[in-house]
Amino acid sequence: MRADAKMKPSSVMEHSTIVHLGNELAAASAEWLAAKVQSGFKESLLSEALLIVPLVEYFATRATSTEWCLTGEWHESGTSLAKAGDVNIDLVAEHEGEKVLLEFKYLKRANDQRLIKDFVKLALPKNASYTRLLLVAHSPSCQHQGESKSALVRSLISAGRKIVFHLAQRDSLPELTSDLNIKHSLTGAEGEHVSRIMSYDSSVADFAVQHIATCPQAEENVSVFSVSRVDK
């Protein structure tokens, strides 16, 4: 789905608009997941890749009467030395100069390292006007009493504010710190992946994350987080 008109120069989306978009995307995804479960889809049949369906449907039919330009597995070549396979963004939506970078996860078990990697991927592109969102859908097995089993997700939600993270290279793997009172572990393949991204642009070491939306629907629970660069 591509607009024929030439895209306008990138413009910064207002925070209130970002929050509204986050709420809409969370609701669209939660409603779609709940409908699939009701129609007979078991948790084992649902996957991360399927989340692109409600998101594309939202931008295609509900977001606006004006067409959005949608691109899957997007890589902004030419702005960094990053290999496409390291920094592909799941979905990019462009409309009247606004550009939304969207990563999404369907968690069947808590894996904070995967979420951290996505935060870093979203922080990499240097254009400060981009809106960067991570949508995290939780299966019933990744929830307890309606809350995420992910310590990182729970902490970001309870903080109720923007949290600044800092990556530092320690030995062979990056070390992540923040003003949250939890340990952020990066090991193995996920740590190596984040190290490669840092090698393309060291300024990605500082980024901020803020919870902007959560939508529970039946046994599904979807949260959206806004990511921004913190340039020194």
Side-chain angles (χ1 to χ4, degrees):
M1 178 192 326
R2 304 192 66 86
D4 293 329
K6 184 178 180 181
M7 296 299 298
K8 296 180 181 179
S10 296
S11 58
V12 178
M13 190 179 288
E14 295 287 340
H15 180 69
S16 60
T17 304
I18 295 173
V19 172
H20 175 75
L21 177 61
N23 278 286
E24 292 275 292
L25 292 173
S29 301
E31 290 168 6
W32 184 87
L33 286 167
K36 287 302 176 187
V37 171
Q38 189 173 15
S39 68
F41 277 69
K42 296 181 180 180
E43 182 178 318
S44 61
L45 295 173
L46 293 170
S47 68
E48 196 161 289
L50 290 176
L51 285 176
I52 198 169
V53 176
L55 298 174
V56 168
E57 288 178 347
Y58 169 80
F59 283 110
T61 63
R62 295 168 59 178
T64 176
S65 59
T66 304
E67 188 177 35
W68 285 75
C69 171
L70 301 179
T71 306
E73 292 296 305
W74 174 84
H75 172 68
E76 191 180 26
S77 60
T79 61
S80 74
L81 299 176
K83 296 178 181 178
D86 279 341
V87 293
N88 283 1
I89 302 298
D90 291 333
L91 182 66
V92 173
E94 298 176 80
H95 166 63
E96 295 186 348
E98 295 172 339
K99 191 163 190 170
V100 180
L101 314 186
L102 185 60
E103 284 282 293
F104 44 83
K105 285 285 177 281
Y106 183 69
L107 297 184
K108 296 183 180 181
R109 62 182 181 85
N111 188 332
D112 289 348
Q113 293 196 69
R114 291 178 65 206
L115 303 183
I116 291 168
K117 181 177 70 177
D118 282 350
F119 289 150
V120 176
K121 285 170 62 178
L122 287 165
L124 181 63
K126 284 193 170 183
N127 193 320
S129 69
Y130 293 166
T131 298
R132 308 150 196 259
L133 303 177
L134 173 62
L135 183 143
V136 183
H138 298 80
S139 68
S141 63
C142 198
Q143 300 178 62
H144 177 66
Q145 297 182 344
E147 289 192 348
S148 173
K149 288 185 178 180
S150 162
L152 180 58
V153 168
R154 291 197 310 274
S155 296
L156 286 168
I157 291 175
S158 63
R161 58 185 172 84
K162 185 180 292 187
I163 300 298
V164 176
F165 291 85
H166 176 71
L167 281 164
Q169 199 72 29
R170 294 287 185 267
D171 298 324
S172 61
L173 291 174
E175 178 181 84
L176 184 66
T177 58
S178 74
D179 53 0
L180 289 171
N181 190 26
I182 60 174
K183 181 180 179 181
H184 310 291
S185 176
L186 283 167
T187 60
E190 305 293 3
E192 291 172 1
H193 195 156
V194 170
S195 288
R196 286 199 303 274
I197 296 174
M198 290 175 66
S199 72
Y200 302 137
D201 181 1
S202 61
S203 68
V204 77
D206 296 283
F207 59 93
V209 180
Q210 184 172 10
H211 168 252
I212 60 171
T214 289
C215 181
Q217 185 80 16
E219 292 188 328
E220 307 302 321
N221 192 313
V222 180
S223 294
V224 178
F225 302 89
S226 175
V227 179
S228 56
R229 290 180 62 96
V230 179
D231 292 320
K232 297 295 185 179

